Amino acid sequence: MENYSLFFVGMVACLISFASATPGIATFYTKYVPSACFGNQDQGKMIAAAGDALWDNGTVCGKMFTVTCTGPRNPVPHPCTGKSVNVKIVDHCPRCPSTIDLSQEAFTIIANPVAGVISVDYKQYA
């Protein structure tokens, strides 16, 4: 009986975690320094810029997000790799058409870069 209870709790936790992801749009960029959050400090390659909807006057700087491709936004069929990526918000992308502008390296982990723009689910985890 104890094993069934543990299994049930685990399944509920997974469903809650999945349900709390937010849908959005992702694009990618290639010039990472300087950034709005960290100036000329290099923050690596697993980074992203927040679109206006996510930026919130910079309070999102340094926050970590898990991003997963959910489908195409243009004629490129099946752009998703089935993987997720963890990124740190380091910049602002004002007036971007996307919610989150991923580094090219991060985008390539979750989707074919030829797509250029994809639908995603994203979730802050730190």
Side-chain angles (χ1 to χ4, degrees):
M1 181 67 172
E2 185 177 309
N3 287 340
Y4 290 119
S5 297
L6 186 58
F7 177 75
F8 180 74
V9 169
M11 290 300 295
V12 169
C14 287
L15 289 173
I16 290 170
S17 175
F18 180 73
S20 64
T22 304
I25 300 169
T27 52
F28 70 87
Y29 69 115
T30 57
K31 185 175 183 252
Y32 310 140
V33 176
S35 69
C37 301
F38 297 97
N40 288 316
Q41 287 183 301
D42 184 3
Q43 296 297 306
K45 302 288 187 210
M46 293 300 114
I47 57 173
D52 291 330
L54 195 56
W55 180 244
D56 193 25
N57 291 321
T59 61
V60 76
C61 282
K63 304 290 187 198
M64 300 293 293
F65 286 82
T66 299
V67 184
T68 306
C69 178
T70 59
R73 301 282 302 181
N74 59 31
V76 174
H78 314 293
C80 302
T81 65
K83 297 178 183 176
S84 295
V85 68
N86 295 324
V87 295
K88 179 180 184 179
I89 301 296
V90 301
D91 211 349
H92 181 208
C93 188
R95 296 174 301 284
C96 273
S98 60
T99 311
I100 192 162
D101 197 23
L102 301 168
S103 67
Q104 184 175 8
E105 292 82 356
F107 189 98
T108 300
I109 289 172
I110 64 170
N112 180 345
V114 172
V117 59
I118 55 173
S119 294
V120 295
D121 279 342
Y122 64 94
K123 179 181 177 187
Q124 183 179 333
Y125 71 91

